[in-house]
Amino acid sequence: MTPQSASVEAGRGLLPQDLRAWLEQHADALDDGRLDAATVLPRLAAAGVFRQGVPEARGGLPGTDIGDAIEAVSQVAELSVASAFVAWGQRVFIEYLLRSPNTALADAWLAPLLGGEQAGATALSNAMKFLSGIESLQIGAREAEDGQWVLDGRMPWVTNLRVQGFLVAAAVTAPDGTPAVVALPHDIAGLVRSPDLSLLALQSSNTAALDVRGVRIGPEWLIHPDAREYLPQARPAFAGLQCGLSIGLARRALLAAAQAGQGQASRGILGAPLEALRAQVGALSDSLIEGVRNGRFVAEPWALFEIRIALADAANQAVQLELQASGGAAYLRPAGAGFARRWREAAFLPIVTPSLVQLKTELAKRKARLAAGAAA
């Protein structure tokens, strides 16, 4: 079974063959940064990845919804998590605009975002943690005499900051103290991009830091005036698309483990665990997509957190099974290059914001509150 046929079995084959072949060929170079990160976004856009789940009237593919968008990210992640990380950032930013009451902002930018001419970056991980009381917002706004907002702060880790041009979504504390969500264009005065961060993996993802130094914006850049109202509605798509990284990596590692175990003594020992984990990933994926589609996770974010944790754990288990099935071959170059990349990719999943530790902390707090309520 090829990686391509595995995708079709797990869900509809949403990626064209030429994109699959390109991702398969360049996966290692995308991971270690040997391939220019600027090449990723146009490839994904040309394949229609960002149009999945976007209303047809806004430039999307007819008959698709957010579940198809999650599946598309998953299928990219089967071949390259670095590319899937870019796809996640771009598609989430598009989702922010689709959900924004600022229709003029969406009308101005959706077409170049869908076409891959402009990158969309999400710096709202800090805001998602703010919602749960984990940390304060890192950008503050004061009002200037002309009514504009003047922003100062820092975004320490943002992906898809394509040097050819990007928009970044950020949460800021408005002058009246209300948390708001704004968009900032790459060339606005006072927005300073660092060099790409030196990551252990996912190097061709245009991941960098942003300093915000006296950036002035008007209402035309406001995505939503109240983050507390807006972000709970956007969070299921944010986290659901992010889960595509784990789903895709788990599928690919399980496939590699099954292929490595064929005709070997390990096949009998590992067969049952492989089948059990494959079924678990499928069930979790189905639950995730159903919950995002029907809006369950808006009212029950903890259920989404549990799925995100379980999928990241499943991906790590899948990579370990691949190692066991492959044996010493996984530790040799160049034969084990694909495994080594997946091992590094799996190490990223627990720490991508919100991290598993942060999510588990929130679930523990909820459990404690429920226990206290029951005792009362």
Side-chain angles (χ1 to χ4, degrees):
M1 183 185 296
T2 64
Q4 290 80 4
S5 63
S7 293
V8 175
E9 285 190 0
R12 287 189 296 153
L14 300 180
L15 307 184
Q17 180 60 33
D18 61 341
L19 176 61
R20 292 182 186 281
W22 186 83
L23 291 171
E24 183 85 6
Q25 178 184 356
H26 298 293
D28 289 337
L30 289 165
D31 185 67
D32 63 24
R34 284 179 288 122
L35 190 65
D36 186 355
T39 62
V40 178
L41 199 69
R43 288 272 183 174
L44 298 174
V49 171
F50 308 131
R51 299 183 189 275
Q52 296 285 345
V54 174
E56 186 177 3
R58 309 301 296 274
L61 296 177
T64 64
D65 64 10
I66 188 64
D68 297 289
I70 294 171
E71 178 60 28
V73 172
S74 301
Q75 291 184 16
V76 172
E78 289 181 40
L79 303 167
S80 165
V81 172
S83 298
F85 196 30
V86 170
W88 167 76
Q90 185 83 356
R91 185 58 184 81
V92 167
F93 190 92
I94 289 167
E95 193 71 16
Y96 293 155
L97 293 189
L98 291 173
R99 295 174 177 271
S100 173
N102 189 346
T103 56
L105 183 64
D107 290 344
W109 292 103
L110 272 178
L113 287 162
L114 291 169
E117 300 149 19
Q118 189 83 10
T122 172
L124 294 187
S125 296
N126 165 236
M128 297 297 179
K129 289 186 282 187
F130 167 79
L131 279 182
S132 300
I134 296 173
E135 66 183 29
S136 59
L137 295 182
Q138 297 169 335
I139 303 174
R142 64 185 188 276
E143 190 166 354
E145 291 181 0
D146 59 2
Q148 289 194 321
W149 290 359
V150 183
L151 311 182
D152 291 285
R154 180 171 170 81
M155 296 171 252
W157 179 303
V158 188
T159 194
N160 206 27
L161 295 177
R162 196 165 182 259
V163 294
Q164 289 80 4
F166 63 83
L167 290 171
V168 59
V172 307
T173 303
D176 66 359
T178 303
V181 182
V182 303
L184 303 176
H186 73 279
D187 55 356
I188 195 169
L191 187 65
V192 181
R193 184 196 190 279
S194 77
D196 284 358
L197 302 179
S198 183
L199 308 177
L200 291 178
L202 284 65
Q203 275 291 146
S204 293
S205 59
N206 280 314
T207 299
L210 290 171
D211 279 327
V212 183
R213 306 172 183 172
V215 172
R216 298 174 67 93
I217 61 169
E220 68 274 15
W221 295 109
L222 191 63
I223 293 177
H224 200 282
D226 190 342
R228 289 193 181 96
E229 174 188 339
Y230 176 74
L231 290 179
Q233 303 294 322
R235 178 165 48 194
F238 172 97
L241 289 160
Q242 188 183 76
C243 284
L245 307 183
S246 297
I247 294 168
L249 179 56
R251 288 176 183 167
R252 185 62 183 87
L254 287 169
L255 175 62
Q259 291 174 330
Q262 288 179 359
Q264 300 180 17
S266 61
R267 184 178 183 184
I269 296 296
L270 297 179
L274 283 171
E275 286 303 317
L277 191 55
R278 186 178 293 110
Q280 180 187 359
V281 170
L284 288 168
S285 176
D286 290 345
S287 295
L288 170 73
I289 290 175
E290 181 183 3
V292 176
R293 278 174 170 161
N294 65 24
R296 174 194 173 199
F297 298 140
V298 175
E300 300 177 9
W302 58 86
L304 178 58
F305 297 166
E306 290 171 344
I307 291 176
R308 156 94 162 87
I309 292 168
L311 281 169
D313 287 344
N316 276 279
Q317 291 177 46
V319 172
Q320 289 300 318
L321 285 173
E322 180 185 354
L323 173 60
Q324 293 176 53
S326 302
Y331 225 72
L332 294 172
R333 294 179 177 174
F339 164 75
R341 185 189 74 251
R342 286 187 285 277
W343 202 359
R344 292 190 299 271
E345 291 170 341
F348 176 68
L349 300 177
I351 63 169
V352 61
T353 304
S355 71
L356 297 197
V357 169
Q358 291 162 345
L359 294 177
K360 290 176 180 178
T361 299
E362 288 308 298
L363 290 174
K365 289 179 182 177
R366 179 176 182 271
K367 184 177 180 180
R369 289 194 299 268
L370 291 175

